[in-house]
Amino acid sequence: MLRLSDELEKGTFGNLGKPKRIVDTLLSKLFFFDKDVYKVYKHRVSSFGDFNDNRFRHEFYHDDFAWNNTMTPAIYTKLCYVRENNGFIEECTHDQSTDYYILMKKIDDSHTLLNLLRQKAVTHADLEKITTEMLKRIEKLTEIKKSDFMDLFDTQYVELDLEYIETLRDWMYMAPEVISKENADAMMEKLKSFINTYQGFKDFDHSHYIASIDNHCGNILYQDKEVNFIDSMPPMRIWRVQNHLYPVSRPATEVELFMGKEFADTMYSAFEKVRGIKVDPKMRAYLQTVAALIQAPYMYVSSDIELAGKFWKLAQEKSTELN
């Protein structure tokens, strides 16, 4: 069977010629040309789903484009459709398609918020702007996608987060030099106990659910005071609906690690201005614990073991606030 990724790599798709660069990720391949990037998901089975299954593949592409085009339309410009015809892969209409790709504009990834944090090149005003713009776009994303995720929007917060948290167990197991299996299991039990006993979960207002985004600081671009987001869609479905404080806590945790708590406070203050709701300190501590637990294994598999250790230490510190 002909694969779009193979044709792009060989330079036989359309009139593009061979790509100038190919980036191979866990789930996809990115093909770089003069101004554009073609994003193609691999045909493989992963923990997020079966990318060989036509229905799953269709829904994943369409959600991925909706998430990213809504958060950053200047970068994620078009969802495109292709089919095999007489030994070639060609463009076609949606109803004729057997596969897809996402057309993107090239970006300068030296301006990620993570890189700026490493350089201490971020101000309080920058963080307020980033948070405000992020929440505004998430509000629009929620309006667009809510009807497709009503089962999650209708789920009680205790049940939603117990299911969500359980997905982090295997994720933590991926960093054994930093987080032992025993420590990972102990942390899981502590978080599950907090979810089951803290009244804030039982009293959570469903109108405060949002369509969540995968917004660690490596996925936030900030250049010339302009905010953009890349790879916004969380790959697992259960991760795509969350407490409205969650998307602030993801980057705020990294900001706190690199810049100090007062800079993270700025992001939470911006949340309070936009949403008109005071931040619950216990919920902040819980969500920052979760965020640090996500980043520790991520940095470990990215070969930054020292930083992975710092995130694990921060997760432990934050979890003490749940007692």
Side-chain angles (χ1 to χ4, degrees):
M1 178 185 293
L2 286 177
R3 300 287 194 207
L4 174 59
S5 58
D6 294 334
E7 300 305 294
L8 281 164
E9 192 162 348
K10 291 187 295 186
T12 55
F13 177 66
N15 298 312
L16 294 172
K18 286 194 172 186
K20 298 183 179 300
R21 178 185 172 210
I22 300 173
V23 173
D24 196 335
T25 75
L26 178 65
L27 298 178
S28 67
K29 280 191 173 183
L30 301 174
F31 299 90
F32 288 74
F33 295 90
D34 287 333
K35 295 181 179 179
D36 296 323
V37 179
Y38 288 63
K39 181 179 183 180
V40 180
Y41 281 101
K42 298 174 181 178
H43 286 78
R44 54 157 297 186
V45 179
S46 78
S47 58
F48 306 121
D50 184 357
F51 285 84
N52 295 304
D53 180 80
N54 289 337
R55 187 63 194 168
F56 175 81
R57 195 171 178 83
H58 174 277
E59 291 179 354
F60 195 93
Y61 263 105
H62 282 75
D63 279 343
D64 190 40
F65 182 70
W67 247 260
N68 285 301
N69 178 256
T70 302
M71 294 302 296
T72 307
I75 293 176
Y76 295 84
T77 60
K78 190 177 181 182
L79 175 61
C80 302
Y81 307 96
V82 298
R83 66 177 180 180
E84 181 182 348
N85 185 23
N86 293 323
F88 293 95
I89 300 291
E90 65 178 12
E91 303 268 4
C92 65
T93 58
H94 180 216
D95 61 315
Q96 299 172 323
S97 63
T98 57
D99 208 353
Y100 322 88
Y101 69 87
I102 293 173
L103 186 64
M104 303 167 53
K105 294 298 181 185
K106 281 185 179 179
I107 61 169
D108 180 356
D109 58 9
S110 66
H111 291 274
T112 65
L113 181 55
L114 179 59
N115 286 336
L116 296 175
L117 291 174
R118 290 179 186 274
Q119 300 163 25
K120 310 292 186 187
V122 182
T123 68
H124 288 280
D126 293 331
L127 293 170
E128 181 172 7
K129 181 180 178 67
I130 289 168
T131 306
T132 301
E133 185 62 29
M134 178 179 67
L135 292 172
K136 182 174 74 174
R137 295 190 202 179
I138 286 175
E139 186 175 339
K140 181 180 179 182
L141 176 65
T142 302
E143 291 175 3
I144 291 171
K145 295 304 297 180
K146 185 174 182 178
S147 61
D148 293 334
F149 291 83
M150 283 309 301
D151 57 319
L152 298 181
F153 276 92
D154 286 340
T155 301
Q156 295 295 321
Y157 190 31
V158 171
E159 297 172 23
L160 184 75
D161 247 38
L162 283 174
E163 183 177 351
Y164 164 70
I165 283 295
E166 189 57 42
T167 67
L168 299 184
R169 188 186 299 272
D170 287 341
W171 182 241
M172 284 192 283
Y173 288 170
M174 293 173 60
E177 293 178 48
V178 175
I179 310 172
S180 70
K181 186 176 184 297
E182 293 74 20
N183 284 339
D185 290 340
M187 180 63 79
M188 286 294 302
E189 292 309 307
K190 184 170 190 175
L191 294 178
K192 288 164 70 174
S193 175
F194 181 72
I195 294 168
N196 278 312
T197 58
Y198 185 58
Q199 194 63 35
F201 284 89
K202 298 179 177 64
D203 295 341
F204 186 80
D205 184 342
H206 281 211
S207 68
H208 296 162
Y209 277 143
I210 48 86
S212 188
I213 62 172
D214 188 8
N215 60 331
H216 63 79
C217 290
N219 281 353
I220 300 174
L221 303 178
Y222 191 63
Q223 184 176 9
D224 300 326
K225 305 300 179 182
E226 182 178 347
V227 187
N228 281 308
F229 304 87
I230 57 174
D231 292 336
S232 293
M233 189 187 76
M236 192 171 288
R237 192 175 188 272
I238 187 64
W239 299 349
R240 296 179 201 165
V241 174
Q242 257 294 349
N243 178 336
H244 59 171
L245 189 60
Y246 177 92
V248 178
S249 295
R250 285 292 304 277
T253 301
E254 294 171 76
V255 167
E256 185 162 334
L257 182 69
F258 284 99
M259 302 286 291
K261 184 177 180 295
E262 68 275 15
F263 283 86
D265 290 345
T266 294
M267 300 187 76
Y268 286 105
S269 294
F271 168 87
E272 291 180 340
K273 289 179 185 177
V274 172
R275 301 291 291 186
I277 298 171
K278 296 293 290 183
V279 171
D280 177 345
K282 289 276 190 182
M283 193 61 73
R284 169 178 170 169
Y286 164 74
L287 292 172
Q288 285 200 267
T289 301
V290 170
L293 291 175
I294 295 171
Q295 286 306 104
Y298 178 75
M299 290 301 170
Y300 180 85
V301 299
S302 301
S303 300
D304 195 335
I305 297 177
E306 181 182 358
L307 188 54
K310 291 180 180 179
F311 275 114
W312 169 239
K313 182 180 178 182
L314 181 61
Q316 292 174 296
E317 292 172 356
K318 289 294 177 182
S319 73
T320 63
E321 299 177 33
L322 307 181
N323 297 333

